[in-house]
Amino acid sequence: MFVSITTDHRSLINSLSELGISSGSNPIVSLSEFTYKKGKTIYIESEPAEYVYQVRKGAVRTCKLLSDGRRQIGAFHLPGDIFGLENGGVHRFRAEAIIQTAVRLIRRQHLETVAENDAVVWRTLLSLTTNNLQHAEDHMLLLERKTALERVAAFLHEMDERLTAADVISLPMSRRDIADYLGLTVETVSRAVSQLHTDGVLDFIGNTQREIVILDRQRLASLDLQS
Amino acid sequence: MFVSITTDHRSLINSLSELGISSGSNPIVSLSEFTYKKGKTIYIESEPAEYVYQVRKGAVRTCKLLSDGRRQIGAFHLPGDIFGLENGGVHRFRAEAIIQTAVRLIRRQHLETVAENDAVVWRTLLSLTTNNLQHAEDHMLLLERKTALERVAAFLHEMDERLTAADVISLPMSRRDIADYLGLTVETVSRAVSQLHTDGVLDFIGNTQREIVILDRQRLASLDLQS
DNA sequence: CGACATATTGATATCCATCAAACCGGGTGG
DNA sequence: CCACCCGGTTTGATGGATATCAATATGTCG
């Protein structure tokens, strides 16, 4: 049920590169790189959205904080993903590096200028936003109508699809991050994972609890029920 | 916390009209009207998205059905609102008329053609999609982190803002619709409304339970906590 | 008026949050 | 190298919010 955001996102910076605005006249301003240490903030809510980012390495979470301390994670961004694209010119979420993370960034201003006369860029921007929308819609369904076990299964299913590189799912985010993403508590997430373990759906690798192997993809997918 | 989707949406068809594609050469094909009786389906999931709609009168719900019968309502669309705009060419939700409803519709194809060379249309499309995204994000927050009373308060607050016409909020949708929008059951919604009533936050008008007057806007807003 | 849908209210069950404690791995400093 | 601490995780016990089940009330439409 989760959208592969990655696919189309890659194409933005690619297409921008093709358009010659990337490493053209001024590579430092127009398309530069930056790294963030674990836990560091990339931007905060209501900050002017000066840049659009692409994850090159690591992982990023975008989240909101409520007045009473509750936290909502809207999405996780993995290598290849684009984030920080806003329409109103102001960030509606806060972005933080979950682990050591490297990003590429483009001045928003450049996009606007180039887009003005180019349908390809417009189409790409719209496509990116639509993918975000689709992810949000799927996530709404999860939050509205699914049990704790179904949510965790859906999360693992999503990660399994997005981290297809290896057999082992190496989760960069903590149980707390997962809980805040799924609208659950740490304890409930832990219990759900444990149950999936004892049910033989997954297994742990190594001594840390963040390296997971899916043993029974079919059962996992059956828990992540579709619309 | 809810976005006024209406504002920017009006401008799409206005700007399209200004562009001369509305009642220009072929008014019947390019910009026509249609009415749906209460409960009638406007389009279903995975149907090709041939048209974009604007509500003129009445109310529309867009929803998804899960395999086990659970239903999620993604949004309510009131007069002025645009709905049915998809990027992938296929509807991801089902749209149904809640009450007797009149819509205007535009062929998606026309948008594409005109947009191709016109930044204004692109900007409008992007803006519409961004508004939808923002609504979805706010709704995610609600579903992830709010209690039943907070959700119902947020819903009434949203409706109060969108139906500013009169003092009386005349809800077109049933308790079931509200429940499926908020991720609650009918009973819980009913109990929450009753509590707001006994607490003196709102009052009912007439003999139906769908005509509501907000007595204490401040307290209602205080329940609809912000990020 | 009667039948049916919609809404409210009540009683109970269930899932998940909360509170609490133990566990584990990694880092630090003696 | 080991003792200690500390953040993250797991596991257990309990309570509470909401779902579920059931009954009543109210409104609508024929």
Side-chain angles (χ1 to χ4, degrees):
Chain A
M1 71 164 289
F2 284 98
V3 190
S4 172
I5 304 186
T6 313
T7 321
D8 267 309
H9 286 201
R10 291 191 202 281
S11 63
L12 173 64
I13 290 192
N14 287 344
S15 68
L16 292 178
S17 300
E18 286 158 13
L19 289 163
I21 68 150
S22 59
S23 44
S25 49
N26 192 345
I28 293 159
V29 177
S30 61
L31 183 57
S32 57
E33 299 222 3
F34 208 83
T35 62
Y36 296 89
K37 288 224 171 66
K38 176 182 173 181
K40 290 298 173 194
T41 301
I42 300 171
Y43 55 76
I44 62 171
E45 303 94 316
S46 68
E47 178 179 312
E50 202 179 349
Y51 297 99
V52 177
Y53 303 80
Q54 183 184 40
V55 181
R56 291 193 65 79
K57 193 166 175 301
V60 172
R61 61 173 171 251
T62 44
C63 57
K64 281 184 180 179
L65 299 175
L66 275 76
S67 36
D68 59 359
R70 288 180 283 188
R71 185 179 69 155
Q72 176 217 15
I73 292 186
F76 294 115
H77 304 282
L78 304 178
D81 292 350
I82 299 267
F83 67 96
L85 176 64
E86 312 285 350
N87 195 241
V90 164
H91 288 299
R92 293 196 303 268
F93 283 79
R94 149 194 307 258
E96 296 165 345
I98 297 175
I99 50 177
Q100 169 97 2
T101 296
V103 300
R104 283 206 289 187
L105 36 87
I106 301 180
R107 269 194 189 281
R108 183 193 153 77
Q109 192 69 38
H110 284 232
L111 285 187
E112 309 248 335
T113 313
V114 176
E116 200 58 42
N117 330 305
D118 195 310
V120 174
V121 177
W122 276 120
R123 209 182 290 280
T124 310
L125 291 177
L126 186 57
S127 173
L128 278 168
T129 307
T130 305
N131 284 338
N132 284 343
L133 176 59
Q134 199 163 338
H135 182 266
E137 286 168 348
D138 287 340
H139 205 60
M140 270 170 46
L141 185 63
L142 179 149
L143 295 166
E144 237 177 88
R145 291 284 166 234
K146 292 191 181 175
T147 67
L149 194 63
E150 287 170 342
R151 293 184 197 194
V152 172
F155 169 75
L156 290 173
H157 192 200
E158 178 188 5
M159 286 302 145
D160 190 33
E161 284 185 342
R162 290 172 67 183
L163 300 164
T164 41
D167 269 352
V168 181
I169 306 179
S170 184
L171 299 175
M173 68 289 286
S174 69
R175 294 291 192 262
R176 166 145 301 284
D177 288 333
I178 300 172
D180 287 344
Y181 179 60
L182 298 177
L184 300 169
T185 59
V186 204
E187 296 93 328
T188 304
V189 171
S190 181
R191 273 184 251 270
V193 174
S194 295
Q195 188 178 333
L196 291 173
H197 182 223
T198 57
D199 287 2
V201 177
L202 57 82
D203 202 359
F204 299 111
I205 297 282
N207 39 16
T208 163
Q209 305 91 332
R210 296 194 187 175
E211 309 270 319
I212 291 176
V213 187
I214 306 297
L215 302 175
D216 190 345
R217 279 200 170 67
Q218 193 160 6
R219 231 176 87 64
L220 190 68
S222 76
L223 286 171
D224 180 10
L225 49 83
Q226 311 292 320
S227 52
Chain B
M1 72 161 291
F2 286 98
V3 189
S4 171
I5 305 186
T6 313
T7 321
D8 267 309
H9 286 201
R10 292 189 200 283
S11 63
L12 173 65
I13 290 191
N14 286 345
S15 68
L16 293 178
S17 301
E18 287 157 16
L19 288 163
I21 68 152
S22 58
S23 45
S25 49
N26 191 345
I28 292 158
V29 177
S30 61
L31 183 57
S32 58
E33 299 222 4
F34 208 83
T35 62
Y36 296 90
K37 290 225 171 65
K38 176 181 172 180
K40 290 298 173 195
T41 300
I42 301 171
Y43 55 77
I44 62 170
E45 303 92 317
S46 67
E47 178 179 313
E50 200 178 351
Y51 297 100
V52 177
Y53 303 80
Q54 183 183 40
V55 181
R56 291 192 64 76
K57 194 165 176 302
V60 171
R61 62 174 171 250
T62 43
C63 58
K64 282 184 179 178
L65 300 175
L66 275 75
S67 36
D68 60 359
R70 288 181 281 189
R71 184 179 70 155
Q72 176 218 16
I73 291 187
F76 295 114
H77 305 281
L78 304 177
D81 292 350
I82 300 265
F83 67 95
L85 175 64
E86 313 283 352
N87 195 241
V90 165
H91 287 299
R92 292 195 304 268
F93 283 78
R94 146 195 309 257
E96 295 164 347
I98 297 175
I99 50 177
Q100 169 96 1
T101 297
V103 300
R104 284 207 287 187
L105 34 87
I106 301 179
R107 268 193 191 284
R108 183 194 153 77
Q109 191 69 39
H110 284 230
L111 284 187
E112 307 248 336
T113 313
V114 176
E116 199 59 41
N117 327 304
D118 195 311
V120 174
V121 178
W122 277 120
R123 209 181 290 281
T124 309
L125 291 176
L126 187 57
S127 174
L128 279 168
T129 307
T130 304
N131 284 337
N132 285 342
L133 176 59
Q134 198 162 341
H135 183 267
E137 286 168 350
D138 287 339
H139 205 61
M140 270 170 47
L141 186 62
L142 179 149
L143 295 166
E144 236 176 88
R145 292 284 167 235
K146 291 189 183 181
T147 67
L149 194 64
E150 287 171 341
R151 293 184 196 193
V152 172
F155 169 75
L156 291 173
H157 192 199
E158 177 188 6
M159 287 302 145
D160 190 33
E161 285 185 342
R162 290 172 67 182
L163 300 164
T164 42
D167 270 351
V168 181
I169 306 178
S170 185
L171 298 175
M173 67 290 285
S174 69
R175 294 290 191 261
R176 168 145 300 286
D177 288 334
I178 300 172
D180 286 345
Y181 178 60
L182 299 176
L184 300 170
T185 59
V186 203
E187 294 95 327
T188 303
V189 171
S190 182
R191 275 184 249 270
V193 174
S194 296
Q195 187 176 335
L196 291 173
H197 182 221
T198 58
D199 288 1
V201 177
L202 57 81
D203 201 359
F204 299 111
I205 297 282
N207 38 17
T208 164
Q209 304 92 330
R210 295 194 187 176
E211 310 268 318
I212 291 176
V213 187
I214 305 297
L215 301 175
D216 191 345
R217 280 200 169 66
Q218 192 162 5
R219 229 176 88 63
L220 190 68
S222 75
L223 285 171
D224 181 10
L225 51 82
Q226 310 295 320
S227 51

